[in-house]
Structure formats: structure tokens, C-alpha cells
Amino acid sequence: MSAAPSTAPEPLDPPHPADVTAPSEATPAPEVEAVAAGQAAAVGRAAAEANAAAGAGTTARANTAAGAETAAHADDAAQAAGRTAGELARTAERHAAALLAPPAPTRLGDVVPAPERVEPDATADYLLAADAVIRVSADPAAVAVAGHLAALLRPATGYPLPVTDAATPVPSGGIALDLTGEAAMGEGGYRLDITTDGVRIAGGTAAGLFHGVQTLRQLLPAAVESATPVTERWVLPGGSILDRPRYPHRGAMLDVARHFFGVTDVLRVIDHLARYKLNRLHLHLTDDQGWRIAIDSWPRLATVGGAGAVGDAPGGYYTRADYQRIVAYAAERHITVIPEIDLPGHTHAALTAYGELAPDRIAPPPYTGTEVGFSYVDPASERTYDFVADVLGEIAALTPGRWLHIGGDEAFKVPAEVYAGFVERVQRIVAGLGRDVIGWHQIAPAAHADRRILQWWGTTGEDAVTAEAVRRGARLILSPGNHAYLDMKYAPDTPIGHDWAGLIDVHRAYDWDPANHLADVPAEAVLGVEAPLWTESVTTLAEIEFMLFPRLPAIAELGWSPRSTHDWSAFRERLATHGPRWATAGITYHRSPELPWPTTPVPAPRRPSADDVGQAPVSRLDETPVRPGTAPDRG
Ligand code: TNX
């Protein structure tokens, strides 16, 4: 990605397509003018073709008439704007081509999560040309989004798509990303306007631009997901979208403790979140079977506590640099990482490394089973609070986000009063680090701490203790086990997953309302939703993807879309159009019988990359549309 700093007014001609880094304000070079003249001739040819076609029927005649009118209109507009002959030629050519072309293969409303407002304009489809330029506001975060867009589009289109910045970016036949700073769009909202003459995404924040880019990506033909150039008409459906999120917290959780997943796997999961406008990645970094993050002041946590996993799977842990890479990659996609150190239970791996934390001061052997609730660090020992302060202090120093998750679930062996006292002390440690605390809803009985957040994972629609904590000021993230737990099986014959919270098919994942899910909790207390993926039975990236798709987009839509758009029959149709996109991107997914998958052939399946060579076939899954890829998205 590159962008030339620019304070000069917007140029009339784009830089030469071959020059990806060309500053845009250069006076048109002679060869560019020559190209423009050639294009003017092409308009003539297009008009002649249109005239010839006019003999064939009324539709074509109408097109020709409209074409003439449009050309005249473009002429007036261009003169009024004082454009060059080159620009005039290009505009007229675009209009003529649009009128003669078949409609875009995607519909403007086929976006997941559903946008707040969609206004299609069938006369305004846009064809991305090989010489299109991406123009962006001169702001580093906006320029980074433009670079991300270019990196998403270049592999499949093969177009250079140079990025250039401007004080007020306008499409000029290409794509403009305009960082407007408008507060009304909210954090993450955007407006997308697609016309024959170009595409404009306006965002109040860079996050808004980023979300608009994800919408744009979904509106292009599915072949845009190809890693190699595809011959395709890169058409976008005309019209406008006005969109903003319903909730500020839209997350997914990945358990890297039961099975360990390396950095590249996590980066790819981050890409999946970004596609669906999720903005939080909760990493469950520690549990009985493994401690997955290096802590300098307690080094054996990772080297000893991270050695194993469930069964005989290999262990592993993130170095500080690994973790920082994950955090930075997420931040580039406007996703905040929320690290979880599960306390005081789920700590067996820590005890294997430091027996001094155990109630009996004896380091136990590693645990590779899948039971829960048996381990805890000694709440009566001051050494335990040194450990907590050191660990959370180091994690906070590596984490730019506001939140530290302290777990708190299933500490069955710790008496209720002792447990509440422990949580209160840990809440104070988090506050002392300048962070807001999140805990599973079991921490509800502990005293309130400013801005504390409870994560609901129950399977009933009511809990008096949680409701009481909310009355005392806590807010909620909703991860109801019977709707949002992506480690549950889809159906009895799903090869991996649990069923203790029930079977969760796509409809069940979609069929609830965060605003009124929990009794006696006001809608204002709900910050959003999160889909956890526990990994006792999930062992590879392909299996992660199989459990995420197609349910993660269902949870994402609950977090993003206004309730007025909620409609299962429309959702299943929209979501099904994403199957070919996932297949083309090499994403493994469950071909749930609930969705009307398109029967058209998958466009341009992604070729296996070097990383795939030698990878074992995914035999436990019921379908593998294409071999799973392992490379994170470009950009
Ligand atoms: C409950 S949900 C747990 C996890 C398990 C999960 C399996 C929660 C806070 N605790 O330890 O992995 O069930 O579905």
C-alpha cells in the first residue's frame, strides 16, 4: 500500500495504471491524453454498436435513446465542471457501457449483516475499470483502509488500483473513501453510493470506512475472493446504502487453550471477523490444558504450562512478539483484542508450572482431559495476588484495548464468599491498570466495579443474580450457550462439537433478540453479542471454520443490524449467496441444509497455496468444498 501525500487540488486525470504509486496531481502526460483520445473514439464505437443493436428490439432502442440522453447529460455536466476532454470521454464511455451491459450479479441488499437502509438504483450499476484509482482522505487511518481495499481487490482483478490521497476525495470514475468526521454516522457507520460514474464510501471514522469496504467487497462478484486473476466483469449494483451498528460490542471468542492455534490461524480468524463487521476478538488464553502466552516474570507458565493440550495434541504458546502481531493485525482491521486470563478456576496448567499457587503447594501433572471445575489458584495466599498482578500487568502492557477479561467461570471448589472476595481483589487490580474488567456472568455476586461487564453464557432467559448485578451498574455481553456457542453441534450427525447446550443450527443461532433475551435486564444494559468457540473438540483451522460458517454471520447480524431488518427467510437467502464466496476464498464451511445454496458452479476456486502442500485431508468434516487455505487475507 502506498499513498502520496497531497495538498494539491484533485486531478482531472488518473495516473497511468501501470504506476501504482503515482501522485495524482501531476499534469496529464501526453500519453495519458492520447489514451483519453482513444477512449473518445471508443465512445463513438459504443454509440455505433448501440445504434446497430437498436434495430433488434424495443429494449435496445430504449437503451440507445437513453444512451444519447445520458451522453448529452454527461457532456453538460462535464462542461459545467470544466473537465478535460479525456474525462468527458471516459464518463460517456462508462455510461454507454453501463447501458449496454447485463445487470450486476449481486443485489444491493444481499449484504450480511443487513444494512440499515438500502436504496437500489437499477440504472446506476458501476463497472470497475482496469485503470480505476482509489482516492482517499489524507488521514493515515483512512489511507490504511484504502490500502486494505486495494489489497483485497488486486489479486482477483489483476488491476493495479493505485491509492492516492486528497483533501476531498471524489470518485472520478474510481472509488473514493471520504473520512468525513460526521458524528451522526456513529462509531463504525458509513454511507455507500454506487453510481455509473464511481463509488463513494463516506465514514465518520476510519472504522466506518473499513466497514463500508467490507460491504463493497460483498457486492462484487464472488470471484473477487480468488487469490489469482479471474476474467470477470467487476460490476457493482447501483444505489445507496446507509449503515451503522446496532451494538458497540460485536465479538467472537477463540479458545486457544484446549487446542493451540498458531499465529497465522488466528490472523485468518481475524479476517473472518472483519468480513462480518465484528470488532472484538476475545482470546481465551489460559485453561486447565494449556497456558498460551509468555509472561516474563513467571516464565514457566508458558514453557511448562503451555507444553500440552487436550489429548495428545501438541501444545504451544504465543511469545510477546506473536501476541503483539495478533493485536496489530486485528487493529488494522478495526478489531480490538480482549485477552482472557481465566481465574481463579481453569488454572490447572498454571499450577503445573508453579506449585506454590496450588492450595496444597504441590505442582500437579499436566491435564489433557476435558472435565471442568476442579482446579483453582489459592485465594488465601498473597502469592496468588502477586501472580495475578504480574500477569495482568504484563498483558495490559501488550494490549492497547480497554478491556481485560478475568474469566471467573466454574470455580466450583471455591466457597462463594471466598470467590466473591477474590474477584473483588482482581477487579481492583484491573482498575489499577487503568482497564475495564470483563468476567463470565459468575462474577455477578462480587461488588460492582466501575464499568464492569458480565458475559452471559447461560442457557435460560433469566438469572436473578445477573439482573441484580446489572441494577448495581454492570453491563452485559450476551453469549447465550443455547444460541451463540459455536462449539455446539449443528445437528446430531455433525462430526465435531458438544451438545450440552443443545444443537445449534443456523436458524437457532439467528433466532433471538439481544435486547430482550434476559428477563429483568433493560435493553440499555446490553453492549452487544459474542460467539464463543471452545475447542475441546476442535483441532484444526478447517474445523474452526466449519464451526464458524455459516453461524458466525448470524451472530454478527444480531450485533450489527437494526431489529427491523430481522427476517429469517430473507437472511437465509442472503447468507446462502456467501457460500460461493467462502468456497472461492478456500474457507471450509458447513453446507447446512437450512440454506438455499446457489447451484451455479463455484467461480474460480482458489488454488492450493504452498502452505497447503502436504496438509492432511480434513476427514472428520462432512463436506470440504475446496481444500482449506491457510494464508490470511491480503491487506
Ligand atoms: C463451559 S462457558 C465453559 C468452558 C467449556 C465450555 C464447553 C464457560 C465460561 N465455561 O470451560 O469449554 O463450557 O462448551
Side-chain angles (χ1 to χ4, degrees), residues 212-240:
V213 161
Q214 301 309 319
T215 295
L216 183 69
R217 177 189 197 182
Q218 290 186 15
L219 291 172
L220 281 162
V224 73
E225 299 295 339
S226 170
T228 51
V230 177
T231 304
E232 174 67 271
R233 288 185 70 250
W234 301 109
V235 194
L236 287 162
S240 296

Side-chain angles (χ1 to χ4, degrees), residues 57 134 180 213 215 241 308 347 405 460 506 518 596:
I134 299 173
T180 63
V213 161
T215 295
I241 287 178
T347 40
H405 199 306
T460 62
V506 186
L518 262 189

Side-chain angles (χ1 to χ4, degrees), residues 258 346 409-410 440 457 485 487-488 498 500 534 536:
R258 270 53 177 271
H346 289 275
D409 57 317
E410 299 174 320
W440 298 105
W457 63 279
Y485 262 36
D487 60 321
M488 294 301 127
H498 302 284
W500 68 259
W534 302 99
E536 287 95 335

Side-chain angles (χ1 to χ4, degrees), residues 556-569:
E557 179 145 320
L558 295 180
W560 178 280
S561 306
R563 192 64 189 174
S564 56
T565 64
H566 193 83
D567 176 353
W568 165 248
S569 61

Side-chain angles (χ1 to χ4, degrees), residues 7 12 22 85 96 102 109 128 151 155 169 230 245 259 289-290 327 352 366 378 386 393 461 479 508 553 606:
T7 48
L12 296 171
L128 182 72
V230 177
H259 280 96
Q289 299 85 350
V327 167
T352 66
D378 185 1
D386 293 343
S479 302
R508 192 163 183 78
R606 179 181 170 281

